[in-house]
Amino acid sequence: MEHGSFQDQSQATFSLTDEDHTLANSLRYTLNQDPRVTFCGYSIPHPSDARVNIRVQTTVDPAREVLKDSCQDLMLICQHVRGTFDQAFTEFKSKKGLESMSIEP
């Protein structure tokens, strides 16, 4: 192997445009739950710039793969929260006799 031809894929910084603390902190949380992650953090370069930088360092697996897995985990968490909310809201409506009431996403 030539010197310089190996690129360490276990660490990377990802820049997400049009995002803020909401997504970045949620992703940081899910990433830190993954045992493959040795470090994860995010920064917002400037308040007027709608962009976040997420730094991911892993044990061995490619940081890109681990970030993708965490995005999928976060999506499943959000779906669970939405399903739980919808079920509780439906139960509330039926107890209060408010069947015509609805919440639009």
Side-chain angles (χ1 to χ4, degrees):
M1 179 189 313
E2 282 183 277
H3 178 69
S5 65
F6 175 74
Q7 181 180 3
D8 184 5
Q9 294 185 359
S10 69
Q11 52 186 323
T13 300
F14 303 92
S15 186
L16 307 176
T17 57
D18 295 326
E19 294 299 343
D20 59 16
H21 291 283
T22 305
L23 179 64
N25 195 38
S26 299
L27 272 176
R28 182 198 56 79
Y29 173 80
T30 56
L31 280 160
N32 280 319
Q33 301 304 305
D34 191 321
R36 299 174 294 176
V37 174
T38 58
F39 173 80
C40 174
Y42 76 91
S43 65
I44 295 183
H46 192 274
S48 66
D49 188 8
R51 180 169 51 101
V52 296
N53 295 326
I54 299 178
R55 178 72 177 173
V56 180
Q57 294 175 339
T58 68
T59 51
V60 176
D61 293 349
R64 177 181 297 239
E65 178 183 311
V66 174
L67 177 64
K68 181 181 173 187
D69 291 347
S70 287
C71 288
Q72 291 172 338
D73 290 345
L74 182 57
M75 185 177 69
L76 291 172
I77 291 168
C78 290
Q79 288 172 347
H80 174 73
V81 169
R82 180 59 194 242
T84 302
F85 175 82
D86 288 344
Q87 181 181 355
F89 185 71
T90 301
E91 290 171 11
F92 173 79
K93 285 190 317 181
S94 54
K95 285 180 186 175
K96 300 291 183 180
L98 302 171
E99 285 78 14
S100 63
M101 187 176 176
S102 68
I103 293 183
E104 297 300 320

